[in-house]
Amino acid sequence: VRDSGRVVQIPQRRPDGMPAGAGFRSAGSRRIDYIFVSPQFSVMKYGVLTDSNEMRYPSDHFPVVAQVDF
């Protein structure tokens, strides 16, 4: 099993961690959410969504997304 954020075909800059308790301007420092893939899967894209509305996050976790080919 592999971490999709580490095996993505085109690495992208992304925040690690979660916003809770870190304040609006900080992306957090501790990564707790992952998408794991088996070796037969290729991770084409990976991202951590940090969208907000009126300086408020919709959750205490940033959503993690991946485009996976199998």
Side-chain angles (χ1 to χ4, degrees), residues 11-52:
Q12 300 161 345
R13 186 165 186 246
R14 68 183 193 285
D16 285 333
M18 55 186 183
F24 183 79
R25 297 192 189 281
S26 174
S29 60
R30 197 181 84 194
R31 187 169 168 221
I32 62 171
D33 297 305
Y34 300 84
I35 297 175
F36 294 107
V37 295
S38 299
Q40 68 266 28
F41 295 93
S42 297
V43 181
M44 306 311 291
K45 292 182 181 179
Y46 173 89
V48 178
L49 307 181
T50 60
D51 296 357
S52 65

